Every structure is written in C-alpha cells, then in structure tokens.
Amino acid sequence: MAGLDWTYGVSTLRQWESADYEPSLPVSEKSNPLTRDIDRASAYSIVKMLQVCDSQMFQKEAGTIYQRLLSDQVVKTLMEVAKRVEVIIKDPQESCVVMSGCGTSGRLAFLISSGFNKALSQLNQSEVYSYIIAGGDRALLSSQEAPEDDPRLGVLNLKKVCEGKKRVLFIGISCGLSAPFVAGQLDFCLQHPEVYTPVLVGFNPAHQARDEPIQDCTFTFHSVVQRMQELAKSQKAFLINPAVGPEAISGSSRMKGGSATKILLEAAFSAAHAATSSNTPITHNGVLQHMMAYERTLAVTYSQTDGITTLVEAAGQSLQCSRHVYYLGWGSLALLGLIDASECSPTFGADYEDVRGFIRGGYRELNNNDGPLTSLGPKFSIAHEDFLHLILPCLTDKDTVLLIYTHSDDATEVGNMARRVREKTPNLHAVYHQADGDTAASLQQDDIKKLCLSTLKITWPQEALVSGTLQHMRELSTKLVLNAVSTGAHVLKGKIYQNHMIDLQVTNTKLYRRATRLLQLSACPEEKCEEALLKAIYRVDMLTLEMTSSDITTHTCFARNSTKVVPLALVILLTGWSLVEAESHLKQQPIVREAVAQWMW
Ligand code: F1P
C-alpha cells in the first residue's frame, strides 16, 4: 500500500455517488471504492482506510441526489422527532418511545434506550424508552439472523411492549431499509395511527428500500416506505434516511450504519432531554451542533492512528494463530465491547470464542429486559468474574486482552484486573478515556499503564463535560476503535476478499441474496451461482427436487448448521470440483482470501 494517498481526491471519495457505480445495489450494499485493496493492506493502512470511510458520514450534500447526515431536511426531521419525545417525557404515564431493529440495529436500540433511561432516572423522571431486538435478548450477545425475516414476530413484540399505552413513538431501525421484522412493525403502526407515530431510520434513499415480496404479506419494505413518505408530508410519520456511503466491508452495516444510528437518535433524544430538564428550546442549531460534536469525535479518535494500529496488529496476530481477543470493559463502554464481539460471528463467520466481551457487574450492569441469560450457554457468561474463572486460567501470551475504561471508573479495580491478566500474559492493552486536565486520575493511571504493552489514551476537552455530550462521544469513539480492531484483525487473518466478506453466514434472505451476488465474482451466471450455493448449503453434489423447490427460508434455516458455505460454493464454481474435493482444498487453504485468489487468477 506504499504511496496510498490518504487525502484521496474528491472523485474517489464520491465515486460511489455516481449513477453508474454499481447501479443495481442500494448504497448500504455497494462496495466502497476506498477499500478495494483492504485485504492486502497493512494494519496501519487498514486503520487509515476506516478513517476515510467513516469521514464519509459527514460529507456535505452538495450536488448529489443523496441526503446526508447533516442535511437540512435530516436536522429538521430530528427536531420534529425530538419534540414528540419531549411531549412523551412530560407525560410518561400512557406513552413511550420504542426503538426496534435486527442485529446491530437492535443492539443499538438497547444501548441508546439504556443510556437515556438512566439519564431520566438520575433526574427522578420516569423512564420512557424501550427496545426490541429481533430474536429477543439473546440476540444482544449472539447472532440471531433468522427472526429478521419475520414481520409477524415484529408485530407481536411491538404489541407486547406497548400494552396499555395510548401514545407510542415507534422508531424502526433498518440500515438497509430491508428487514421484514421492522417493515411489519411499521405497517402495524400505519394501521393504528391513533396510537402509533412511526419513524424509520436507515441509510438508503427511499426508492432503494427493498422491494422483495415478504412471505404471506401484502406489503414490501418499499411499499411501507412509500406510505410513510405520504404521511411524512403531514408529519404523521418520519423518515430519517441520509446516505453515509458504502461500508468499508461491503454490507457491514454494523460499522457506519451503527454509528450513524447512534448519532441521529442521540442528537434527537439529547435535544428532547435538554428541553424538558433545562428548558433549552429544540433548535436547528442545537441539533446540528450536537451532531457536529460527533464529527469531532472521529477526529479525536483517529488522531490516535498509531495506537489503534498497535491494537489491530495485536488482535490480528492472536486470530492468525487461532488464539483469542478479549475486551474487558467498565460501564457503557463495556457494552460496546459486548456488541462488537457478538458481531464477529455473523460478520466474519468467527467462533464465539475468537473475540469476546466482558462487562463489570455482568447482567446487573447490562440491565436487559430478560435479566441474566447465563443459562443459555457459555457464550452468555459476560461478567468479569466469568472471565477470571473461565478464561484467565488458560490465557496465554498469544491472546490479546484489552481493558476499556474511563477516568471515572474505579482505577483500583482496573489495576487489580490488569495485575491478574499480567500474571498470565504481557499482551495486555488499554483503551482509556480521560478528561482534559484530569491530573488526579492520571497518577493511578500511570500504574496501570506500566502493566500494559500499549495504552490508547483518548483525551476529551472539558467542553464535552460541560455540554453533557461526553458519554456519547466516548461511546462512539470506543465503537470506532473496537470496530477497527475486530474488522482489522479479521482482514489480517485473511477473511476478506477485496472488500467483500466471503465467509458470511447465509441465515436470512438479505444474506442469501448477498451471498448469491458475491458468487458472481466468479463471472458465472446467477442461476449457476445459486445452484452452487445450494450445493454448499445442503452439502450435496446433486440437488434434489425438494431442495431446489424449497423457499429461501428453508435454505437459510438449513444453512444455520453449515459452515464455509460461500467459500465452498465459490471453489465449486471456479474449479468445477465435487463438493468433497472442494472441501478438502479449502481445508488445506483456510485463508479465504488466498483460497479465492488462487483460483480466480
Ligand atoms: C440488520 C442486520 C445487521 C447485521 C447483518 C444482518 O440489518 O442484522 O445488523 O450486521 O447484516 O442484518 P439492517 O436491518 O439494520 O439493515
């Protein structure tokens, strides 16, 4: 990557906006021209690419068809949403704000609702925020992709949360404007306007919403969006759908999609909270300023490129030798560790043990709807104590451990944990957030620093403390760092081809379609690609009539128990080998990037 120009020309930065750039794909599924060579980049170059990709979130609207994060219309809609939230906070008895989504979108719904409910409790006000995640609370910590396809389940979940409520602001989040689970909920809201005001958050223009039929439904996501657009004219529904540019890893909406969800909703809710608690009016400038603080967050975070690179390298080395990465976090930053770790399975086909998160206080701190989930299996053990009992005894210097904390966390406790880990491995690192001029904390911090191989110290200006945005900034910053660590580490492990994740799980319709599209990298026609995909899913050389005539839901259910589905299908397509031959070759060359490159050229 020597000579790569980090200041990229405007034409490269905005190439994806051109009408003839991957025209059949919505923005959220396009591949980003900036990261086409990410699979062959060094850790440093990976971090730089992620920085430029993230900065696309804040690009200006000028001269394109796309609305952007800071566009006037987006800010105006956020103000209107904030006003509805303000009314609900002032009259919480029979009203509530419900956020709902699948995968990362549901996890962010949880994170944001927890944070703002806490803020209300601290002011002795009633909590008004609820979250719904497709697949229930277990999906907060593990991959549950199938419920995303179920609109009826979405409605059932929504009805349950809203029982007895007379006024509901429903916020459906689907980065790709695609999840049937959310479409079902929005449709239900549209049918019951006396109670529900629907808001849709996503990152494609309305005309790119998914128009694929949904089983047993008369609507598609696209038709729901059209009905909402009509109602939006009279402010009976709201659409917040700026484009943030294609993801660094194609379709990986956990990255910019997740970050932008957090930015938009926090900007709206913060404005509503300020209006109720300190009588600060909800203004265009206020909302805009809040969003721009996130732009500065990107700058503050990525000013630490070297520190982030060190973490990516360490994590990459651990994964390359089949060892593990552990995030040990405190407070809400730990939640971002849990979320990032949980996304590695669906995104990179990783084992749950590859990257794991732990939170101080376990489920007590998590405070999720269903309480402790430990009985569901080992991947649901999330407390620091669990780490000490289950992981520490087998920890080696090939594992990477990351402490994630702030100056307001108990430094003695962090120090004790650091010492325990240090007895087993020197491969200990810290991500530490401090406020500018906080000298008292830095004395204890010095002791912890000595125990760590590297410390990524992120210093926030005092003004962030005063404006009350500090928590949101630290969270976004931690999200960016951890997304870089887990994405970068998997890239270095060879899981990515160009900027495509080949070894994705094919566990819902969206992912099935994405997989079929990826297979066309082989230059084979679509039907052949789908045939190879089915052979890899069902692990047969000859497909039966029953297999070919089943619907996508049946395929994706079956695919839940199959591994390496897409790489296998790709090898079959490129070589014409039998399934057994392809499987044995993939075993010899498990690095997907190398395996694919070997047969492509
Ligand atoms: C929801 C989602 C993603 C996940 C994966 C499958 O997408 O669960 O969060 O990473 O891509 O889909 P969306 O509805 O927010 O577009």
Side-chain angles (χ1 to χ4, degrees):
M1 296 306 291
L4 182 63
D5 178 11
W6 299 120
T7 55
Y8 292 106
V10 175
S11 59
T12 319
L13 260 179
R14 310 199 73 141
Q15 198 182 340
W16 65 270
E17 295 175 42
S18 128
D20 54 6
Y21 185 79
E22 301 183 349
S24 63
L25 297 180
V27 178
S28 61
E29 290 285 322
K30 287 186 199 289
S31 65
N32 200 319
L34 299 170
T35 54
R36 204 163 279 146
D37 294 322
I38 199 167
D39 61 337
R40 304 203 167 262
S42 64
Y44 178 81
S45 300
I46 292 172
V47 177
K48 281 309 221 181
M49 284 184 192
L50 296 181
Q51 173 177 10
V52 185
C53 265
D54 279 331
S55 73
Q56 284 180 321
M57 283 196 286
F58 290 97
Q59 250 171 30
K60 303 283 175 292
E61 185 175 327
T64 74
I65 55 161
Y66 293 112
Q67 244 184 42
R68 309 308 303 266
L69 211 55
L70 303 179
S71 293
D72 258 13
Q73 187 51 50
V74 172
V75 177
K76 274 188 192 138
T77 312
L78 288 177
M79 284 170 63
E80 287 309 317
V81 170
K83 286 177 194 162
R84 308 296 168 113
V85 176
E86 182 190 355
V87 172
I88 290 175
I89 295 175
K90 285 181 174 158
D91 174 23
Q93 253 55 50
E94 293 180 322
S95 44
C96 65
V97 179
V98 180
M99 283 168 275
S100 173
C102 312
T104 304
S105 301
R107 293 178 195 121
L108 283 162
F110 167 68
L111 174 80
I112 298 167
S113 70
S114 305
F116 281 92
N117 275 339
K118 240 181 227 159
L120 288 174
S121 297
Q122 279 160 7
L123 296 170
N124 283 327
Q125 287 182 291
S126 307
E127 299 187 348
V128 299
Y129 300 96
S130 312
Y131 69 92
I132 298 173
I133 180 163
D137 270 6
R138 62 168 64 216
L140 292 173
L141 303 167
S142 68
S143 158
Q144 307 289 327
E145 310 290 337
E148 178 171 329
D149 278 343
D150 193 341
R152 239 158 272 106
L153 184 64
V155 175
L156 280 177
N157 287 185
L158 179 58
K159 281 185 185 163
K160 193 164 163 224
V161 171
C162 300
E163 236 167 47
K165 298 291 178 193
K166 296 222 164 82
R167 183 188 348 219
V168 177
L169 185 70
F170 172 76
I171 303 178
I173 312 163
S174 179
C175 296
L177 304 191
S178 63
F181 183 88
V182 174
Q185 296 172 323
L186 291 169
D187 171 72
F188 178 78
C189 294
L190 291 169
Q191 288 181 45
H192 298 89
E194 66 292 351
V195 175
Y196 295 89
T197 305
V199 181
L200 169 60
V201 174
F203 303 100
N204 286 320
H207 70 273
Q208 291 180 355
R210 185 159 149 198
D211 208 14
E212 188 172 338
I214 303 173
Q215 214 174 16
D216 302 326
C217 289
T218 52
F219 56 84
T220 65
F221 207 111
H222 187 259
S223 71
V224 169
V225 170
Q226 281 180 324
R227 280 152 67 202
M228 285 186 68
Q229 277 181 305
E230 217 24 63
L231 287 175
K233 291 177 191 159
S234 51
Q235 301 197 328
K236 293 197 174 99
F238 299 96
L239 278 120
I240 309 173
N241 59 326
V244 291
E247 297 288 354
I249 304 300
S250 313
S252 185
S253 53
R254 75 187 194 111
M255 302 182 80
K256 282 197 276 191
S259 301
T261 300
K262 184 167 158 52
I263 293 169
L264 290 167
L265 293 180
E266 287 177 354
F269 298 165
S270 298
H273 281 230
T276 44
S277 62
S278 55
N279 273 330
T280 315
I282 296 168
T283 62
H284 194 281
N285 194 41
V287 174
L288 188 64
Q289 288 306 321
H290 194 98
M291 297 227 276
M292 284 166 67
Y294 292 99
E295 192 177 7
R296 290 195 292 281
T297 301
L298 259 62
V300 168
T301 307
Y302 281 114
S303 69
Q304 305 274 358
T305 304
D306 290 341
I308 303 174
T309 302
T310 303
L311 300 179
V312 170
E313 270 165 356
Q317 276 163 18
S318 292
L319 294 190
Q320 279 170 54
C321 60
S322 303
R323 293 301 306 180
H324 310 124
V325 179
Y326 299 109
Y327 303 146
L328 300 180
W330 277 257
S332 70
L333 302 190
L335 256 172
L336 289 148
L338 290 173
I339 292 176
D340 185 85
S342 71
E343 291 162 344
C344 291
S345 295
T347 312
F348 305 110
D351 192 88
Y352 85 90
E353 286 180 297
D354 291 353
V355 182
R356 286 191 68 171
F358 295 90
I359 181 167
R360 185 212 176 263
Y363 286 97
R364 195 171 11 93
E365 178 71 30
L366 201 66
N367 197 21
N368 53 313
N369 285 344
D370 298 348
L373 306 172
T374 332
S375 61
L376 295 177
K379 71 172 96 162
F380 295 93
S381 295
I382 55 164
H384 282 184
E385 289 74 22
D386 296 320
F387 171 82
L388 293 172
H389 293 141
L390 304 169
I391 309 288
L392 191 73
C394 322
L395 207 63
T396 78
D397 54 7
K398 299 257 183 319
D399 297 307
T400 300
V401 181
L402 223 69
L403 304 170
I404 305 161
Y405 64 105
T406 77
H407 68 278
S408 26
D409 292 312
D410 183 342
T412 312
E413 216 179 87
V414 180
N416 287 341
M417 180 61 94
R419 269 180 284 280
R420 302 276 308 262
V421 172
R422 197 62 178 75
E423 282 163 16
K424 300 292 271 188
T425 175
N427 201 0
L428 171 68
H429 306 258
V431 177
Y432 169 63
H433 295 264
Q434 70 165 20
D436 206 5
D438 200 346
T439 45
S442 45
L443 286 174
Q444 278 174 309
Q445 174 53 23
D446 281 348
D447 291 340
I448 300 169
K449 195 175 166 190
K450 281 184 202 136
L451 295 165
C452 295
L453 212 52
S454 81
T455 297
L456 182 65
K457 190 163 81 180
I458 304 183
T459 307
W460 298 98
Q462 284 292 337
E463 73 185 56
L465 265 175
V466 177
S467 67
T469 53
L470 182 63
Q471 183 66 3
H472 300 153
M473 307 300 121
R474 289 194 301 218
E475 287 176 1
L476 180 65
S477 174
T478 304
K479 178 179 184 297
L480 298 175
V481 171
L482 299 186
N483 285 173
V485 169
S486 57
T487 302
H490 282 98
V491 172
L492 293 174
K493 192 181 177 185
K495 284 286 196 170
I496 304 296
Y497 175 70
Q498 293 173 347
N499 50 8
H500 300 288
M501 175 54 211
I502 301 280
D503 196 5
L504 73 161
Q505 289 186 350
V506 192
T507 38
N508 65 36
T509 318
K510 176 175 86 174
L511 300 173
Y512 183 90
R513 296 273 180 238
R514 192 184 292 166
T516 316
R517 217 170 43 239
L518 280 173
L519 290 172
Q520 289 167 46
L521 283 170
S522 66
C524 294
E526 192 175 339
E527 316 83 79
K528 279 218 87 164
C529 294
E530 198 160 351
E531 188 186 307
L533 182 64
L534 292 181
K535 284 181 183 173
I537 290 176
Y538 292 106
R539 292 299 209 258
V540 293
D541 279 315
M542 290 292 290
L543 293 167
T544 64
L545 185 64
E546 193 190 341
M547 290 167 186
T548 49
S549 55
S550 295
D551 57 16
I552 296 184
T553 312
T554 314
H555 302 325
T556 53
C557 275
F558 205 91
R560 231 178 288 167
N561 303 316
S562 323
T563 55
K564 296 248 176 251
V565 168
V566 186
L568 207 53
L570 198 54
V571 174
I572 292 173
L573 283 168
L574 290 169
T575 60
W577 288 336
S578 72
L579 190 94
V580 177
E581 284 170 327
E583 263 182 325
S584 105
H585 276 81
L586 259 188
K587 250 190 210 125
Q588 283 164 31
Q589 182 49 281
I591 300 180
V592 176
R593 180 183 73 200
E594 298 302 337
V596 175
Q598 190 174 326
W599 289 300
M600 290 276 264
W601 318 114

